[in-house]
Amino acid sequence: MPVSRRGFLTAGAAAAAALGPAAVPARAVGPKRPFGRFGSPAARLTPATLYVHPGGAGDVTTVRDAVAAADGPGHTLVIAPGTYRQTVAVDPARTGMTWIGASENARDVVIVYDNAAGTPRPGGGTLGTTGSATATVQADDFTARWITFANDWLRADHPGVTGTQAVALKVQGDRSAFHHCRFLGHQDTLYADSMALGTVARQYFAHCYAEGDVDFVFGRATAVFEHCHFRTLTRHDLPGAPYGFVFAPSTAGTTPFGHLVTRSRVSSEAPDGFYKLARPWVPSSDRTARPMLTVRDTRLGPGIDAAAPYADMSSAHPWQSMRFAEYRNTGPGAAVPVPENRPRLTSDQARAHTRQVWLGDWRPV
């Protein structure tokens, strides 16, 4: 039976292993070495390294306090295994920050909260989509390794709330890299965005795992997803298809590149054909947006509706007028029963749809 998002987070690494991607072998992290091979407060990697431990064995006990203490650029946070229930924000001044999950297994370090767009805001109104984020990263040159970002807000717990967007991570900085991270939620899980309309933010996600149901990877960033796993969830609140959409890019019309998915896979716990691959998001703040998505060399499982993998978010902005394309995908969800519904690149065109071209002079490591 499906496990609720809150139950999944509290089930522990052993139970969670059956629901997520294969675990990266973890380094030994125990009571005597809670920070693994990354030093300790008594033996810092660098003077700008801070150690987070929920039981008090580090410099601070919360990620939020560590960010506050990391005043200025170039800090590294080494985070011991634990579930950190809090919201966290990295402002633009804290450039060059790195977060490291000390066990080198993302299941062990979980940053989670349960706000939604419809959650009441103190003083009136609601939080909105951006305000729902568990973690918000606005600084440039941010890197995270082996971290889980989660939002465990559940529709079933809040039947009267209509603003069901619940962001696990909103990242807006340029040259932002995520390696072996997980992004868990339902609607609007991973918000790959930029700081402002007309500002290009390049982001790189490698060997990551993201799951959700409605538009769970979205935004206007130039974002490259390489060797990633996207998983669509089942839903008990809808009588039939479609349950949702994997991608919802909102690329500005003047931005040359949007979201690129390469050498990845899309799987599903929902019935076959119950998900669309993508729909374009043309936000009210940018009616000239031309969302862009390329999915290439990727396995699309049977959960994707092969006959009609794309849908409109608004009839005023049909997906056919956007920049959607595929190349050399495999799997049942990549079948082409209706050719006009599967825009495909030629081999010559595909040469411009690579990590190197999309990220320009930035080479993430």
Side-chain angles (χ1 to χ4, degrees):
M1 293 293 292
V3 178
S4 74
R5 178 57 41 237
R6 187 167 294 115
F8 177 36
L9 289 169
T10 59
L19 297 175
V24 176
R27 302 269 180 169
V29 174
K32 293 183 179 180
R33 294 188 62 204
F35 303 107
R37 64 187 177 96
F38 300 104
S40 69
R44 296 183 191 277
L45 290 181
T46 69
T49 301
L50 294 170
Y51 294 87
V52 185
H53 189 282
D59 297 303
V60 294
T61 59
T62 73
V63 179
R64 181 191 291 169
D65 287 346
V67 171
D71 190 16
H75 281 79
T76 296
L77 309 187
V78 179
I79 308 171
T83 297
Y84 299 86
R85 180 162 285 278
Q86 58 194 236
T87 58
V88 186
V90 180
D91 64 62
R94 288 171 166 80
T95 57
M97 181 174 280
T98 297
W99 294 5
I100 298 173
S103 71
E104 301 177 64
N105 186 334
R107 291 191 178 93
D108 295 336
V109 177
V110 179
I111 303 169
V112 58
Y113 209 70
D114 60 348
N115 281 331
T119 299
R121 182 189 296 276
T126 57
L127 291 176
T129 301
T130 291
S132 75
T134 297
T136 302
V137 176
Q138 297 181 321
D140 292 342
D141 298 298
F142 178 89
T143 301
R145 299 179 185 273
W146 307 296
I147 306 286
T148 292
F149 299 88
N151 190 318
D152 62 357
W153 189 92
L154 297 173
R155 297 182 185 95
D157 293 346
H158 306 274
V161 175
T162 57
T164 57
Q165 300 90 343
V167 177
L169 171 70
K170 180 172 184 176
V171 55
Q172 298 174 274
D174 189 28
R175 299 180 301 274
S176 301
F178 297 82
H179 303 268
H180 299 285
C181 288
R182 298 193 307 160
F183 310 97
L184 309 181
H186 285 270
Q187 182 172 355
D188 290 8
T189 304
L190 174 55
Y191 195 170
D193 203 40
S194 69
M195 284 295 289
L197 180 62
T199 299
V200 175
R202 294 165 294 176
Q203 298 163 10
Y204 180 61
F205 300 82
H207 302 281
C208 289
Y209 173 82
E211 69 179 27
D213 48 40
V214 178
D215 305 332
F216 65 91
V217 178
F218 73 114
R220 68 173 170 238
T222 294
V224 175
F225 301 88
E226 192 165 36
H227 299 295
C228 290
H229 179 188
F230 306 91
R231 185 159 178 84
T232 61
L233 301 176
T234 195
R235 296 184 64 173
H236 302 289
D237 58 323
L238 293 179
Y243 277 175
F245 316 85
V246 182
F247 302 100
S250 58
T251 323
T254 56
T255 300
F257 304 116
H259 292 184
L260 170 65
V261 180
T262 179
R263 294 187 285 180
S264 296
R265 63 183 172 122
V266 178
S267 67
S268 182
E269 66 178 37
D272 292 357
F274 268 50
Y275 271 87
K276 305 293 187 182
L277 185 60
R279 62 178 180 173
W281 176 30
V282 179
S284 58
S285 58
D286 181 18
R287 291 305 188 189
T288 64
R290 282 197 68 219
M292 183 177 188
L293 168 70
T294 297
V295 181
R296 61 171 298 169
D297 301 296
T298 290
R299 187 182 193 282
L300 306 180
I304 298 300
D305 179 358
Y310 304 104
D312 301 336
M313 190 175 294
S314 165
S315 59
H317 305 284
W319 72 263
Q320 292 90 342
S321 65
M322 304 304 169
R323 295 176 285 176
F324 285 3
E326 300 179 53
Y327 182 68
R328 282 195 323 204
N329 295 322
T330 60
V336 190
V338 185
E340 58 267 31
N341 287 345
R342 308 296 302 239
R344 284 162 290 172
L345 301 173
T346 65
S347 296
D348 287 343
Q349 291 170 334
R351 294 190 181 97
H353 294 249
T354 65
R355 168 171 51 90
Q356 293 80 4
V357 172
W358 287 41
L359 298 183
D361 60 359
W362 176 46
R363 296 292 182 263
V365 295

